[in-house]
Amino acid sequence: MDALTRGTNALFLLLGAILVLSMHAGFAFLELGTVRKKNQVNALVKILVDFSVSTIVYFFVGFGVAYGTHFFVGADRLAIGSGFELVRFFFLLTFAAAIPAIISGGIAERAKFWPQLIATAVIVGFVYPLYEGIAWNRAFGIQDWLARVTGNEFHDFAGSVVVHAMGGWLALPAVLLLGARRNRYRGDGSLSAHPPSSIPFLALGAWVLCVGWFGFNVMSAQTIDKISGLVAVNSLMAMVGGTLAALALGKNDPGFVYNGPLAGLVAVCAGSDLMHPIGALVVGGVAGAIFVKMFTLTQNKWKIDDVLGVWPLHGLCGTWGGIAAGIFGTRALGGIGGVNLWAQLIGVAIGVAWALVAGAAVYGVLQATLGLRLSQEEEYAGADLSIHNISATPEREVSW
């Protein structure tokens, strides 16, 4: 029976890892559909290569930083317990690799290729695992301190803050250092349209992300005995809440409509194991509204050219999700309890501050040494031809 339980847990978590792995295809197609045609190949290549670099650095460095374990032992030891620890690494790797995939969308269409890969290695190897260890492995005694001071630990069941807010707030310094895409804003300050290249691909990416998200959230239980249908239904309710809020406030714009469910799912991650489904619906709806309003504000008023809106979508909605867990997870609002607002506020503040400082440091150093941005000529030609020497539709450039 013990062997069966270990095997079942390993299979359960492996299926979760595969579902979250599929989300990286969603990231790729969401970016591909949003950027202009001359940058589509770059979007596809970045996500796959970023994932590959993330795998190497998280295996050799990051997982150990977060959890204090390593894989420098014989394969016979690694296979113990149906190889559960290896499967756990695979599952958590897919979370870690989401960080550079998130950042990729913010810096799209004008960022150099190799400096971003270096940033990926540093972020997944050191920056992300340090906060991951605090939130999910009680590193540095911060969770114990929060429990003493507030009465509860910081709660982030599936990564609203650990993954999404971290990715969004890390991206913000990179976006600011890069500056806007050329000709995005006219000399008089007005906005120049850079419409998505493919709404169908954008929609496909969003759908793939939504489906994979149920592995992201539900399988965060990590063992079969802790699986909860509450997590699944809360994820569903937040998803539809975000969709409908984005539809209403985004005036039927398909870009908003298909990012709305993502906003809701980002926000519900933290408290999906605690909230009542009605609370999850409200959390998702608020997140959809945050995305539409803040994306419009950053692009049109503040002139922050965050191409996929990763700071509003992941940074702000992830921050909201961490805070919302301390509100809608309480018994007073129909939740399970065991969480409070003060612990959530402090935990969120630590994550946001660390992401901002680390993001500014990593991208600031790269800006000063290698440079972050393509030249004017390269950006005009597009990242596809400038970096990869091929376009998404090469047959159109062939002369007969």
Side-chain angles (χ1 to χ4, degrees), residues 8-17 84 87-88 91 219 222:
T8 302
N9 285 335
L11 177 61
F12 171 74
L13 200 55
L14 176 60
L15 293 174
F84 180 80
V87 175
R88 182 167 175 261
F91 181 70
M219 269 74 164
Q222 298 197 26

Side-chain angles (χ1 to χ4, degrees), residues 160 164-165 262-264 266-268 286-288 290-291 311-322:
S160 286
H164 297 286
L262 307 183
V266 164
V268 81
V286 171
I290 288 172
F291 175 72
W311 179 61
L313 180 64
H314 297 275
L316 296 182
C317 292
T319 299
W320 158 240

Side-chain angles (χ1 to χ4, degrees), residues 209-221:
L209 283 165
C210 287
V211 172
W213 223 299
F214 287 86
F216 196 99
N217 284 1
V218 175
M219 269 74 164
S220 284

Side-chain angles (χ1 to χ4, degrees), residues 347-367:
V348 167
I350 292 171
V352 169
W354 173 236
L356 272 176
V357 170
V362 170
Y363 287 102
V365 169
L366 288 170
Q367 174 83 306

Side-chain angles (χ1 to χ4, degrees), residues 236-281:
L236 178 66
M237 296 298 278
M239 171 185 157
V240 300
T243 302
L244 296 176
L247 172 70
L249 295 175
K251 300 177 181 178
N252 303 329
D253 185 306
F256 285 136
V257 171
Y258 270 98
N259 276 282
L262 307 183
L265 286 162
V266 164
V268 81
C269 289
S272 57
D273 61 327
L274 300 178
M275 298 177 188
H276 189 281
I278 296 174
L281 179 66

